[in-house]
């Protein structure tokens, strides 16, 4: 082929002169400005090289560069082509809201301008910092202690950091459109994993919306307006149930309101996003400012203790049993809560009488040394009283009921793994940057940098807050989940500066905004899954309003979110969404690890700081955290994902995304083929690996489709099946017919449920094509050992000699290849896969010992539903003088050793009806086996001796044929290999020997008994 060519502008102008020879290019052309000193190579004047000199009078500007003149009409301008490549993207980002009809009014598309800070860092920061930080982190620190809380936060942050590294590698390996983690997983691991994990991520995002709404209501009813409750508790025991009912009512109203806001327009949610972000950042700064202030001026939040028990400040003001008023001792409201009357001689609670009431500071400050007391955990059962460690206390002689007394109780049983499940949702939200890749100026740089920086920032905030909370706040306040000991204030708000209301209002708007964003993002994720078409029953959720808003998906999201609202407990909802997010992150790590280990050519991420070991560690950590949080929730989440996976595999639309699982399958297949190649299969593993030879008509359709039905019944989906066909001709002329024939055969295989491979051979002759299939079908150790074909229909016709000749040649070539041959006669009368035999027999005429193939075929057929109720019968032939009863017993014992259930029938026939060759063949095999047994040779010696006997018989047979030819002139001396006289003589001579031989034949232990 030529090593160079010239590209010329095609125009209606005079032809340009021929180019000078290549040797003359070494000299600078006269007056050329492109010659520069250096390497001696002239600078090219090319429209593809960005050069300032080319801006002046470029002769190629605006001209179509084409190699041939006929390409002018179809090829675009080079400049426009390069422009399209520079602005390449797979999908539009998100769902576009059209203010007017797109065709009638086209708006100018603005180039994305968002950088790393605005486009990735701040959205991730806003999504990660949320309701758990404000409502539960102080309680986690007080319950688990500073050390164990540090471990919890470190594990969760390490999990998200490793996931972010894997996500960065995937996100920078090409363009990531809307869909975030769903897109990355589905395009990396295939539609089955993508759909399953995408739906899990959707459920996690939906339940996250429910959790944010529950957090919003908890802040509203507990800290902002406690009087707004609808259900009132009659006693302390009923407060929890009344609060849950209030959460359900308010939650239903708020989710309906939020759904209406999202339905009206997402642009209103986006406009409020900056306000919500400002609330989060302001709250964080208020916490740190409050910590600094406690070092020199701690806030005044006194706690009232009775002995070592913490008291709730809802129903009393003065932390004392009695006070002095006008030199008179007067009992307080606290006295009335523990005693039956306000008088000093009233009957009071025993613990109240034995212990003093003390008041301590709830926030002693960062320099107080309270960190030492808060280092260790204080796990309790449900309904336990919050007690201060080290405080003097006198227990009563008998247990008294504390249900109606003003103590601070724990509402749930606490332990380490439960706290992990509650905390983990506070580190989710790392996908916010990858979801906005289309709005970024340089997504492949911004996504890794912004996401990892945001995770680092939030991890520092969480870890530092754990230490600072433990160093500033008293332990009983940390374990007081709802701030009952500090007059119902938000615990983290008591630490904030300048006022607790900064945290209360900030956290309220933050959780409200996070709930709105979940209700905005989850329907779009479901819409993306539905539009991919991988889950058929979700097709309806791909539609929406005229502007693309996912109306039906929003309705489903609101309904699922209502389920979380009806649970009504933030502590119960948090582990549920933890499962779904952990599963999603686990598969992101798996996707990166698989792509890295496979080393596919397309795997070229710009983010280089990843490794398969980190991805595998992240995947293992996610899997461990799932079972640490809640083993039964983990099993349920995995069951849901598994059901979705199998449903997509069984019913979903087929998609080819070049995923890693397919590459993993290819690698596994290659490894398995190399392992199989090491040696021949053992007898235990032997089964028919079938090559089905089909004949095609002029329309490239199989003439006998029942061959495939018989194959599927024989194989039942196990082992190797290759369906081959031969087209007569030259491949260059017949490749279209070959493709059509392959499509027809594959569709027929699907219809007949035949699992296997299709191979079409185009050959100048039909016989050669058959020979090529028998020789070369299969790969490595996965080659066929059995050939299945139909009986030739027109073999008796004299005008078609090729039919029987091809058949005979195929039989010979199969025998030469040492393969079994199955010939199905009247194959069109065989049962289809839909038919069922309620009764019947499969008859086997076992005349010559063939190694057990005839016994194995009916056994395999009876595994299929068509033949399952049929019985197996074995027929063997005996002479009139033989002991038929003994032969039947021997054959039954033979079948017993083979573990086959079959009826045995011995057919007695006259001598004239039995083929001499059959008897001779059986007798020879019997005599050889008996002789080798008597010689007591080893296995190798028996094989060598049997081969030697075979060679001698062959040689003697050849000598007998030559002798017959030499004595053709004396016909009276001709002696056949086997005649009737010889047959009668041998029968009378060795009758006893023959009977013994038959017994030995049936008592023989076959080599294939392990089948």
């Amino acid at each position: 082929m030529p090593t160079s060519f010239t590209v010329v502008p095609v125009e209606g102008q005079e032809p340009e002169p021929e180019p000078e020879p290549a040797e003359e290019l070494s000299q600078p052309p006269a007056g050329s400005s492109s010659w520069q000193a250096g390497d001696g190579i002239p600078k090219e004047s090319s429209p593809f090289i960005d050069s300032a000199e080319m801006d002046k009078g470029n002769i190629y500007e605006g001209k179509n560069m084409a190699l041939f003149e006929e390409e002018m009409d179809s090829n675009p301008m080079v400049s426009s082509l390069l422009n399209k490549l520079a602005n390449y993207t797979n999908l539009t980002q998100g769902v576009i809201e059209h203010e007017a009809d797109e065709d009638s009014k086209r708006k100018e598309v603005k180039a994305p301008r968002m950088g790393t800070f605005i486009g990735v860092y701040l959205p991730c920061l806003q999504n990660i910092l949320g309701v758990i930080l404000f409502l539960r982190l102080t309680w986690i620190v007080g319950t688990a202690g500073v050390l164990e809380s540090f471990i919890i936060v470190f594990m969760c942050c390490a999990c998200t950091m490793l996931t972010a590294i894997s996500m960065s590698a995937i996100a920078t390996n090409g363009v990531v459109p809307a869909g975030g983690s769903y897109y990355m997983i589905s395009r990396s691991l295939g539609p089955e994993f993508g759909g399953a994990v995408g739906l899990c991520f959707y459920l996690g995002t939906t339940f996250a919306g429910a959790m944010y709404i529950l957090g919003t209501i908890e802040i509203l009813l507990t800290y902002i307006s406690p009087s707004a409750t609808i259900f009132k508790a009659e006693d302390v025991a009923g407060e929890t149930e009344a609060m849950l009912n209030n959460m359900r009512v308010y939650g239903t109203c708020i989710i309906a309101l939020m759904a209406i806001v999202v339905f009206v327009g997402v642009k209103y949610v986006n406009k409020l996003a900056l306000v919500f972000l400002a609330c989060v950042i302001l709250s964080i700064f208020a916490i740190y400012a409050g910590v600094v202030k406690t070092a020199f001026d701690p806030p005044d939040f006194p706690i009232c203790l009775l002995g070592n028990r913490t008291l709730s400040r809802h129903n009393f003001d003065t932390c004392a049993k009695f006070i002095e008023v006008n030199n008179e001792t007067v009992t307080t409201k606290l006295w009335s809560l523990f005693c039956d009357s306000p008088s000093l001689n009233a009957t009071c609670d025993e613990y109240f009488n034995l212990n003093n009431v003390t008041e301590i500071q709830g926030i002693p400050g960062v320099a107080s040394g309270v960190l030492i007391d808060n280092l260790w955990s204080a796990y309790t059962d449900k309904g336990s009283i919050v007690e201060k460690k080290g405080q003097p206390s006198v227990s009563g002689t008998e247990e008294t009921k504390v249900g109606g007394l003003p103590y601070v109780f724990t509402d749930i049983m606490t332990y380490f793994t439960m706290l992990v499940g509650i905390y983990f949702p506070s580190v989710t939200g790392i996908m916010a940057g990858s979801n906005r890749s289309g709005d970024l100026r340089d997504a492949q740089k911004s996504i890794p940098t912004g996401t990892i920086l945001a995770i680092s920032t939030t991890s520092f905030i969480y870890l530092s807050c754990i230490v600072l909370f433990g160093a500033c706040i008293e332990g009983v306040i940390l374990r007081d989940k709802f701030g009952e000991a500090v007059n119902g204030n938000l615990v983290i708000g008591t630490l904030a500066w300048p006022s607790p209301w900064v945290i209360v209002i900030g956290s309220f708007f933050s959780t409200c905004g996070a709930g709105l964003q979940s209700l905005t993002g989850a329907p779009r994720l479901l819409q993306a899954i539905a539009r991919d078409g991988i889950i058929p029953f979700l097709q309806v959720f791909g539609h929406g309003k005229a502007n693309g808003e996912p109306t039906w998906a929003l309705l489903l999201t609101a309904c699922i979110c209502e389920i979380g609202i009806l649970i009504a407990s933030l502590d119960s909802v948090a582990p549920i969404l933890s499962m779904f997010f952990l599963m999603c992150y686990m598969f992101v790590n798996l996707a990166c690890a698989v792509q890295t280990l496979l080393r596919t050519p397309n795997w070229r991420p710009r983010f280089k700081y990843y490794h398969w070991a980190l991805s595998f560690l992240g995947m293992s950590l996610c899997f461990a955290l799932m079972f640490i949080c809640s083993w039964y929730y983990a099993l349920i989440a995995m069951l849901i994902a598994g059901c979705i996976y199998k449903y997509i595999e069984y019913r979903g639309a087929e998609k080819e995304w070049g995923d890693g699982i397919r590459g993993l399958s290819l690698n596994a297949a290659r490894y398995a083929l190399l392992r199989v190649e090491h040696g021949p299969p053992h007898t235990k593993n032997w089964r028919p690996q079938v090559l089905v030879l089909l004949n095609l008509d002029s329309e490239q359709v199989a003439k006998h489709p029942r061959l495939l039905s018989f194959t599927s019944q024989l194989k039942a989906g196990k082992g190797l099946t290759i369906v081959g066909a031969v087209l007569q001709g030259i491949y260059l002329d017949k490749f279209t017919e070959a493709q059509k024939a392959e499509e027809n055969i594959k569709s027929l295989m699907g219809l007949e449920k035949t699992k296997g491979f299709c191979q079409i051979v185009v050959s100048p002759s039909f016989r050669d094509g058959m020979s090529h299939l028998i020789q070369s079908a299969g790969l490595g150790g996965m080659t066929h050992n059995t050939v299945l074909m139909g009986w030739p229909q027109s073999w008796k016709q004299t005008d078609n000699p090729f039919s029987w000749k091809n058949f005979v040649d195929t039989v010979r070539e199969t025998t030469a290849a040492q393969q079994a041959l199955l010939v199905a006669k009247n194959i069109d009368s065989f049962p289809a896969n839909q038919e069922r035999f309620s009764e019947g027999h499969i008859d086997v005429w076992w005349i010559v010992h063939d190694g057990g193939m005839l016994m194995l075929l009916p056994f395999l057929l009876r595994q299929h539903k068509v033949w399952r109720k049929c019985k197996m019968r074995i027929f063997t032939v005996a002479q009139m003088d033989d002991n038929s009863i003994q032969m039947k017993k021997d054959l039954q014992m033979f079948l017993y050793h083979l573990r086959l259930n079959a009826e045995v029938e011995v057919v007695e026939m006259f001598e004239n009806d039995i083929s001499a060759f059959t008897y001779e063949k059986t007798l020879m095999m019997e005599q050889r086996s008996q002789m080798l047994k008597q010689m007591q040779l080893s296995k190798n010696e028996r094989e060598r001796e049997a081969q030697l006997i075979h060679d001698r018989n062959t040689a003697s047979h050849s000598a007998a044929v030559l002798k017959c030819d030499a004595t053709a002139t004396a016909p009276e001396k001709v002696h056949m290999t086997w005649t009737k006289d010889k047959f009668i003589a041998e029968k009378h001579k060795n009758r006893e020997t023959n009977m013994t031989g038959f017994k030995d034949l049936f008592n023989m232990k076959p080599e294939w008994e392990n089948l």
Side-chain angles (χ1 to χ4, degrees):
M1 61 182 292
T3 57
S4 62
F5 57 87
T6 305
V7 179
V8 297
V10 180
E11 260 195 352
Q13 60 183 5
E14 296 182 1
E16 295 189 13
E18 294 291 329
E20 296 295 329
E23 290 80 1
E24 298 179 7
L25 290 178
S26 59
Q27 300 297 327
S32 174
S33 61
S34 62
W35 174 265
Q36 295 180 356
D39 54 5
I41 301 176
K43 184 176 180 181
E44 295 186 10
S45 297
S46 171
F48 303 103
I49 300 178
D50 187 13
S51 175
E53 299 174 0
M54 297 305 298
D55 294 336
K56 302 177 182 179
N58 193 344
I59 61 172
Y60 297 105
E61 184 176 359
K63 296 180 180 179
N64 201 335
M65 309 303 294
L67 287 176
F68 304 100
E69 189 172 355
E70 58 268 19
E71 293 183 3
M72 278 195 61
D73 297 333
S74 59
N75 282 5
M77 298 290 292
V78 173
S79 58
S80 63
L81 177 63
L82 294 178
N83 187 32
K84 289 180 181 178
L85 290 176
N87 296 321
Y88 167 76
T89 182
N90 283 347
L91 297 172
T92 57
Q93 183 69 14
V95 181
I96 303 173
E97 287 194 346
H98 300 281
E99 300 295 334
D101 186 71
E102 190 177 7
D103 295 330
S104 60
K105 183 179 179 181
R106 293 190 175 273
K107 295 184 177 181
E108 182 181 356
V109 180
K110 296 182 179 179
R113 297 295 181 185
M114 298 174 70
T116 303
F117 185 75
I118 299 295
V120 181
Y121 179 74
L122 290 182
C124 287
L125 205 68
Q126 180 182 359
N127 280 269
I128 295 174
L129 299 174
V131 60
I132 302 296
L133 170 64
F134 301 119
L135 296 182
R136 293 292 182 269
L137 190 58
T138 54
W139 173 70
I140 291 174
V141 173
T143 305
V146 173
L147 294 179
E148 292 188 21
S149 300
F150 197 91
I151 294 173
I152 292 174
V153 175
F154 182 79
M155 279 197 309
C156 297
C157 292
C159 175
T160 55
M161 178 61 78
L162 293 172
T163 305
I165 293 174
S166 301
M167 184 197 72
S168 300
I170 299 174
T172 56
N173 188 49
V175 180
V176 178
S181 62
Y182 162 70
Y183 180 88
M184 290 187 287
I185 295 172
S186 62
R187 269 59 177 178
S188 299
L189 293 180
E192 292 87 0
F193 279 106
V197 181
L199 277 183
C200 287
F201 188 57
Y202 163 74
L203 292 175
T205 307
T206 305
F207 276 102
M211 184 189 71
Y212 292 133
I213 293 173
L214 291 175
T216 303
I217 303 165
E218 183 176 317
I219 295 171
L220 175 66
L221 298 182
T222 307
Y223 307 112
I224 296 179
S225 179
S227 60
T229 56
I230 299 174
F231 299 93
K232 308 290 184 181
E234 296 179 358
D235 53 5
V236 178
E239 287 183 356
T240 302
E241 188 62 32
M243 186 63 182
L244 292 179
N245 290 329
N246 287 317
M247 301 273 272
R248 294 184 180 104
V249 174
Y250 275 92
T252 305
C253 297
I254 289 180
I255 196 174
L257 182 63
M258 286 185 174
I260 293 173
V261 172
V262 174
F263 176 77
V264 170
V266 184
K267 54 186 177 182
Y268 301 110
V269 180
N270 294 334
K271 289 179 180 179
L272 293 173
L274 189 60
V275 177
F276 301 143
L277 177 63
C279 292
V280 173
I281 297 177
L282 185 62
S283 301
I284 298 297
F285 280 117
I287 294 171
Y288 282 108
V291 170
V292 174
K293 183 176 178 296
T294 60
F296 53 88
D297 185 17
D300 184 24
F301 281 101
I303 307 171
C304 190
L305 299 177
L306 176 61
N308 64 349
R309 299 178 177 179
T310 309
L311 298 176
S312 174
R313 299 294 289 261
H314 283 305
N315 299 319
F316 66 94
D317 299 327
T318 305
C319 184
K321 295 183 179 180
F322 36 78
I323 57 175
E324 295 286 338
V325 177
N326 297 328
N327 295 326
E328 182 180 354
T329 303
V330 181
T331 59
T332 61
K333 288 185 178 180
L334 182 61
W335 180 281
S336 301
L337 295 174
F338 284 91
C339 303
D340 55 2
S341 69
S343 60
L344 291 174
N345 58 355
T347 303
C348 299
D349 180 73
E350 182 183 9
Y351 189 85
F352 183 78
N353 289 330
L354 295 175
N355 292 274
N356 296 324
V357 177
T358 56
E359 193 173 55
I360 62 173
Q361 276 299 324
I363 303 181
V366 71
S368 63
V370 73
L371 177 64
I372 304 299
D373 299 332
N374 294 330
L375 281 178
W376 312 109
S377 61
Y379 299 119
T380 56
D381 294 328
K382 180 180 180 180
S384 302
I385 301 174
V386 177
E387 299 178 348
K388 176 176 171 55
K389 301 175 184 177
Q391 188 75 8
S393 173
V394 180
S395 301
T397 56
E398 59 183 31
E399 291 293 330
T400 58
K401 294 183 178 180
V402 296
L405 301 178
Y407 294 121
V408 177
F409 297 96
T410 57
D411 61 336
I412 57 174
M413 184 176 66
T414 54
Y415 43 91
F416 178 81
T417 57
M418 185 208 67
L419 297 181
V420 176
I422 293 177
Y423 173 76
F424 187 81
S426 64
V427 297
T428 59
I430 62 175
M431 303 289 183
S434 62
N435 290 342
R436 300 171 178 233
S437 61
D439 297 331
L440 302 175
R441 185 183 302 115
D442 186 0
Q444 299 195 354
K445 177 183 177 182
S446 298
I447 289 177
T449 306
T451 304
I452 293 176
L453 189 61
I455 294 176
S456 302
T457 305
T458 53
S459 300
F460 171 77
I461 292 174
Y462 282 127
L463 293 172
S464 61
C465 281
I466 285 175
V467 177
L468 295 176
F469 291 163
C472 296
I473 305 176
E474 183 62 48
V476 291
I477 296 295
L478 290 174
R479 293 190 293 277
D480 183 8
K481 184 187 291 186
F482 302 107
E484 297 177 41
V486 285
N487 298 318
N489 285 302
L490 184 62
V491 175
I492 195 173
T494 60
L495 184 64
W497 181 86
S499 170
W501 286 100
V502 176
I503 297 293
V504 172
I505 301 300
S507 60
F508 177 79
F509 283 110
S510 171
T511 52
C512 187
L516 273 174
Q517 288 183 343
S518 296
L519 284 181
T520 304
R524 278 155 179 74
L525 178 59
L526 181 62
Q527 187 183 45
I529 299 173
R531 287 182 172 177
D532 264 346
I534 58 176
I535 304 178
F537 69 85
L538 291 181
Q539 296 280 349
V540 65
F541 299 107
H543 308 293
K545 293 194 297 186
N547 59 5
E549 287 297 312
T551 308
W552 294 106
L554 175 62
L555 183 62
L556 179 64
T557 303
C559 293
I560 297 176
C561 197
E562 177 65 19
I563 297 175
I565 297 296
L566 294 178
I567 296 175
S569 173
L570 188 146
D571 300 321
S572 300
V573 174
I576 296 176
L577 63 102
S578 295
M579 292 302 114
F580 293 124
F581 278 116
L582 279 168
M583 184 171 292
C584 176
Y585 295 164
M586 179 176 69
F587 279 98
V588 169
N589 286 292
L590 175 63
C592 181
V594 167
Q595 297 279 24
T596 306
L597 290 174
L598 289 179
R599 297 176 183 174
T600 54
N602 187 49
W603 179 247
R604 301 186 302 274
R606 292 187 179 275
F607 181 76
K608 300 299 181 184
Y609 305 102
Y610 70 93
H611 193 268
W612 67 266
L614 293 177
S615 300
F616 186 79
L617 178 62
M619 182 184 67
S620 304
L621 187 56
C622 290
F623 186 77
L625 283 175
M626 287 179 64
F627 283 89
I628 287 175
C629 294
S630 175
W631 64 268
Y632 47 90
Y633 277 162
L635 291 178
I636 292 173
M638 295 174 68
L639 179 63
I640 293 173
C643 292
I644 298 170
Y645 177 93
K646 296 304 293 182
Y647 177 81
I648 297 173
E649 186 181 50
Y650 180 68
R651 292 290 302 275
E654 294 184 1
K655 296 286 182 180
E656 180 54 57
W657 289 327
D659 51 86
I661 292 298
R662 184 174 177 82
L664 194 63
S665 302
L666 291 174
N667 271 19
R670 169 184 167 274
Y671 174 78
L673 283 173
L674 292 176
R675 289 290 303 272
V676 172
E677 185 73 11
H678 286 170
H682 192 268
T683 309
K684 293 181 180 180
N685 301 323
W686 193 94
R687 66 169 59 245
Q689 315 288 6
V690 182
L691 169 63
V692 185
L693 299 179
L694 292 180
N695 288 331
L696 304 178
D697 57 16
S698 58
E699 297 295 329
Q700 316 308 329
V701 178
K703 292 182 179 179
H704 305 292
R706 288 296 173 86
L707 273 173
L708 295 183
S709 303
F710 180 70
T711 304
S712 62
Q713 296 163 19
L714 184 66
K715 301 289 291 180
K718 304 296 190 298
L720 174 69
T721 301
I722 303 174
V723 181
V726 177
L727 292 180
Q728 194 167 354
I730 301 175
Y731 183 70
L732 291 177
D733 301 330
K734 294 283 186 177
F735 69 94
T736 306
E737 288 86 345
Q739 291 178 347
K740 182 180 178 182
E742 185 173 2
E743 293 175 0
N744 293 339
I745 292 177
K746 284 184 176 179
S747 63
L748 182 61
M749 291 172 66
L751 187 64
E752 297 291 344
K753 297 181 180 179
T754 303
K755 298 180 180 180
F757 307 97
C758 176
Q759 189 166 349
I760 305 295
V761 172
V762 180
S763 177
S765 69
F766 188 82
R767 179 183 179 279
D768 291 343
M770 288 290 186
S771 178
H772 295 160
L773 276 176
I774 293 172
Q775 294 179 60
S776 61
L779 177 65
M782 290 294 289
T783 55
H784 62 281
N785 54 28
T786 305
V787 177
L788 172 62
M789 60 187 301
W791 185 266
Q793 292 180 338
S794 56
W795 67 278
K796 289 185 177 181
Q797 298 179 6
T798 56
D799 57 345
N800 188 11
F802 297 102
S803 177
W804 65 267
K805 192 175 188 308
N806 291 335
F807 176 73
V808 172
D809 290 339
T810 304
V811 172
R812 289 174 175 173
E813 286 164 356
T814 305
T815 307
Q818 297 183 347
Q819 297 171 359
L821 177 64
L822 304 179
V823 181
K825 194 171 184 179
N826 298 326
I827 185 63
D828 295 329
S829 302
F830 277 46
N833 290 330
Q834 294 76 22
E835 298 181 31
R836 300 290 185 269
F837 289 140
S838 59
E839 59 182 5
H841 296 88
I842 303 176
D843 295 339
V844 177
W845 286 85
W846 194 61
I847 301 174
V848 178
H849 185 59
D850 62 341
M853 185 70 173
L854 282 175
M855 303 290 193
L856 184 62
L857 290 179
F859 170 77
L860 294 176
L861 282 176
R862 292 182 68 242
Q863 308 303 310
H864 198 270
K865 296 178 180 179
V866 175
W867 307 87
R868 187 163 296 167
K869 295 184 179 181
C870 295
K871 295 181 180 180
M872 179 176 166
R873 291 192 302 190
I874 306 295
F875 290 89
T876 188
V877 178
Q879 301 173 24
M880 299 300 293
D881 298 334
D882 292 332
N883 189 348
S884 301
I885 298 176
Q886 185 62 36
M887 289 181 64
K888 184 174 182 178
K889 290 181 179 180
D890 293 339
L891 186 54
Q892 286 175 341
M893 183 59 64
F894 182 71
L895 293 175
Y896 175 78
H897 289 306
L898 296 178
R899 302 177 305 282
L900 294 176
N901 296 322
E903 299 176 10
V904 176
E905 297 290 343
V906 178
V907 180
E908 295 182 348
M909 302 181 68
F910 291 100
E911 299 171 355
N912 298 334
D913 297 330
I914 302 178
S915 169
F917 171 77
T918 301
Y919 185 79
E920 180 185 18
K921 180 75 173 178
T922 304
L923 185 62
M924 290 170 62
M925 291 182 63
E926 162 213 331
Q927 290 174 348
R928 289 175 189 170
S929 302
Q930 184 69 20
M931 181 183 65
L932 293 176
K933 275 185 177 181
Q934 293 174 358
M935 293 175 65
Q936 297 182 351
L937 301 176
S938 64
K939 182 179 179 181
N940 293 334
E941 291 173 339
R942 285 201 302 268
E943 292 177 353
R944 195 181 310 116
E945 190 66 26
Q947 184 64 33
L948 183 60
I949 293 172
H950 178 267
D951 295 341
R952 288 175 180 172
N953 289 340
T954 304
S956 61
H957 178 71
S958 301
V961 171
L962 293 175
K963 185 177 181 180
C964 290
D965 294 338
T967 60
T969 57
E972 67 277 1
K973 296 183 179 181
V974 173
H975 189 72
M976 301 292 292
T977 304
W978 191 265
T979 63
K980 186 176 180 179
D981 296 336
K982 181 180 179 183
F983 172 71
I984 295 173
E986 289 291 334
K987 182 186 69 171
H988 292 289
K989 181 180 178 180
N990 298 318
R991 181 182 300 273
E992 297 299 326
T993 306
N994 293 345
M995 289 303 303
T996 306
F998 268 111
K999 289 182 181 180
D1000 292 337
L1001 173 64
F1002 292 126
N1003 291 329
M1004 232 177 8
K1005 292 294 179 71
E1007 296 180 359
W1008 51 282
E1009 61 182 347
N1010 291 322
L1011 272 177

